[in-house]
Amino acid sequence: MIDLHCHLDLYPDPEAVATRAMSEGMYVLAVTTTPRAWAGTRTLFSRFSRIRVGLGLHPQLVRERHGEVSMLCELLTEARYVGEIGLDGSPEYADSLSTQRSVLERILAACAADGGRILSVHSRGAATAVLDALEAHPKAGLPVLHWFSGTSKELDRAVRLGCWFSVGPAMLRNDKGQRLVSAMPRERVLTETDGPFATEQKLPLMPWDVSIAERWLAQVWNTSDSDVKERLAGNLKALTTAPPLRR
Ligand code: MN
């Protein structure tokens, strides 16, 4: 199983969660929300061979932490994965949108200048603005849009721009999410939880709860659970073995 967007460092006992995820044979991308968390999070999970850490600056923190973008750019040479980054245009965060935009521009430009990265990208309430930024920085790397919630038109544009998608139980339990997922190219879809922020029946999702997303995918794709698992494993391999460039 694959959790390509999980805030693994933010569970009350991250090592216990990591240990269980490894015993389930999982691959996990542990995204961070601030570059200050990078070094500690990497150290924390260094003994787990199937956990990768993303270097991030969450758009919801940019109002207070925009100054940390320099730190992110300095650390970039150490990171293969960048995330969580992006834009949040929902009412609570819209006032910082122009700062968010300039932070994202700087990160994408830095990634482009250093050969590109695999990017885990937040786009809630700001899909068009995120796609504008990605279009302006075609060499920034391979964007994986996490929990995409834009319109179907915005989705079409994301597909044309070469974006990938990580989808989780919280997205797949509603009709809109299912419709969006059914329109995504299957060879560019991976699973995620966004735990512990995303919840299921008021409990934080755990990395292994991607099994819920796998079952939804089997329904949406009208195929078997084993076919879903095979496709997702193939997709992860394609994502991580190719250079981080859009195709
Ligand atoms: Mn997240």
Side-chain angles (χ1 to χ4, degrees), residues 5 7 31 58 84 122 146 194 197:
H5 184 107
H7 299 271
V31 290
H58 198 294
E84 178 165 3
H122 176 111
H146 115 83
D194 202 16
F197 294 128

Side-chain angles (χ1 to χ4, degrees), residues 129-142:
V130 163
L131 296 174
D132 288 344
L134 293 172
E135 191 166 43
H137 298 276
K139 295 194 167 142
L142 206 61

Side-chain angles (χ1 to χ4, degrees), residues 157-173:
R157 185 177 168 213
V159 171
R160 283 198 307 277
L161 283 173
C163 294
W164 286 51
F165 304 90
S166 56
V167 303
M171 172 177 184
L172 278 154
R173 69 177 160 232

Side-chain angles (χ1 to χ4, degrees), residues 4-5 29 31 54-55 76 79-86 104 107-122 130-131 133-135 137-146 158-166 185 187-190 234-247:
L4 205 78
H5 184 107
L29 177 61
V31 290
L55 171 65
L76 196 59
R80 178 158 185 236
Y81 298 86
V82 168
E84 178 165 3
I85 58 167
L104 180 61
I107 295 170
L108 294 177
C111 290
D114 199 38
R117 294 292 186 276
I118 294 170
L119 312 162
S120 187
V121 184
H122 176 111
V130 163
L131 296 174
L134 293 172
E135 191 166 43
H137 298 276
K139 295 194 167 142
L142 206 61
V144 184
L145 300 182
H146 115 83
V159 171
R160 283 198 307 277
L161 283 173
C163 294
W164 286 51
F165 304 90
S166 56
E187 67 280 7
R188 289 197 225 153
V189 171
L190 287 159
N235 290 353
L236 182 66
K237 197 166 181 201
L239 180 78
T240 54
T241 52
L245 293 170
R246 287 174 229 170
R247 291 178 283 263

Side-chain angles (χ1 to χ4, degrees), residues 31-209:
V31 290
T32 56
T33 56
T34 150
R36 288 188 190 280
W38 167 250
T41 307
R42 271 227 305 189
T43 305
L44 182 62
F45 298 126
S46 60
R47 68 190 171 89
F48 302 100
S49 61
R50 279 174 275 107
I51 297 177
R52 297 289 180 271
V53 179
L55 171 65
L57 180 49
H58 198 294
Q60 295 176 349
L61 301 181
V62 160
R63 185 171 36 214
E64 292 79 24
R65 291 178 176 264
H66 55 89
E68 293 178 29
V69 67
S70 317
M71 186 181 183
L72 187 148
C73 293
E74 279 160 30
L75 291 169
L76 196 59
T77 53
E78 299 177 15
R80 178 158 185 236
Y81 298 86
V82 168
E84 178 165 3
I85 58 167
L87 300 175
D88 194 309
S90 53
E92 286 167 85
Y93 302 101
D95 63 327
S96 67
L97 207 47
S98 70
T99 315
Q100 292 181 42
R101 218 179 270 124
S102 53
V103 164
L104 180 61
E105 292 276 339
R106 255 188 86 183
I107 295 170
L108 294 177
C111 290
D114 199 38
R117 294 292 186 276
I118 294 170
L119 312 162
S120 187
V121 184
H122 176 111
S123 58
R124 188 172 77 167
T128 290
V130 163
L131 296 174
D132 288 344
L134 293 172
E135 191 166 43
H137 298 276
K139 295 194 167 142
L142 206 61
V144 184
L145 300 182
H146 115 83
W147 197 339
F148 184 80
S149 58
T151 64
S152 54
K153 258 195 170 151
E154 288 167 325
L155 176 65
D156 289 346
R157 185 177 168 213
V159 171
R160 283 198 307 277
L161 283 173
C163 294
W164 286 51
F165 304 90
S166 56
V167 303
M171 172 177 184
L172 278 154
R173 69 177 160 232
N174 65 64
D175 290 348
K176 186 194 172 190
Q178 289 170 27
R179 267 198 311 278
L180 287 169
V181 171
S182 68
M184 293 169 183
R186 293 181 193 190
E187 67 280 7
R188 289 197 225 153
V189 171
L190 287 159
T191 44
E192 66 163 41
T193 59
D194 202 16
F197 294 128
T199 56
E200 176 97 353
Q201 285 161 352
K202 294 188 181 156
L203 289 171
L205 284 166
M206 306 304 283
W208 44 90
D209 290 328

